[in-house]
Amino acid sequence: MSETIFSKIINKEIPATIVYETDTVLAFKDINPVAPVHILVIPKKEIKNVNSLTGDDKDILSNMFEAVKIIVEEQGIKESGYRLVINNGKDALQSVEHLHIHIIGGKELKWPPC
Ligand code: 5GP
């Protein structure tokens, strides 16, 4: 898999506002937020998207959702609500080929998104 901008953030080669970090997961503020809270949760392992997941990635996925739970509490949006988005592939406009969960919240969101 080719290196993406997120690999550079993981390796601290480019800056990001990191809000959560473990051995397996990193979360940081989206550079172009669409809501008052817009955070990206990524695995440190290079996984292109959902299609690339294997049975070996179960713990990583669990760790990513543990991160979501901690972050929404810290950001004060646990009770008000939030949206989790995974854009997967071309039609979904996935622009960075490294699996990521968008946490979007802090205001009332619109639906449908398309
Ligand atoms: P996608 O469209 O692939 O689901 O989302 C990629 C997200 O990464 C976009 O919301 C975009 O704003 C964010 N992004 C792209 N490059 C950078 C960067 O260098 N730093 C940060 N913090 N976010 C980025």
Side-chain angles (χ1 to χ4, degrees):
M1 194 181 124
S2 58
E3 198 179 68
T4 69
I5 195 88
F6 289 176
S7 304
K8 292 188 165 61
I9 291 174
I10 292 166
N11 295 327
K12 312 283 163 57
E13 291 164 13
I14 64 166
T17 305
I18 292 170
V19 298
Y20 178 91
E21 181 167 16
T22 66
D23 288 349
T24 57
V25 173
L26 187 69
F28 50 91
K29 293 187 177 181
D30 196 293
I31 203 168
N32 188 21
V34 297
V37 177
H38 188 171
I39 289 165
L40 303 172
V41 179
I42 69 172
K44 287 190 172 175
K45 179 180 173 184
E46 289 189 0
I47 299 172
K48 182 176 175 183
N49 60 27
V50 172
N51 300 347
S52 313
L53 288 166
T54 72
D56 291 342
D57 298 321
K58 282 178 191 162
D59 286 349
I60 290 174
L61 283 176
S62 172
N63 296 160
M64 289 174 75
F65 280 94
E66 280 169 25
V68 168
K69 288 189 68 177
I70 291 167
I71 291 164
V72 296
E73 183 133 32
E74 285 176 356
Q75 296 289 323
I77 59 170
K78 178 182 173 184
E79 301 303 337
S80 56
Y82 52 90
R83 185 169 292 156
L84 303 181
V85 175
I86 299 177
N87 292 320
N88 200 83
K90 181 174 70 67
D91 281 359
L93 303 181
Q94 180 180 5
S95 61
V96 180
E97 292 195 330
H98 185 124
L99 180 67
H100 48 286
I101 302 172
H102 295 254
I103 304 175
I104 300 170
K107 70 171 187 180
E108 189 171 282
L109 305 171
K110 298 196 183 341
W111 190 263
C114 49

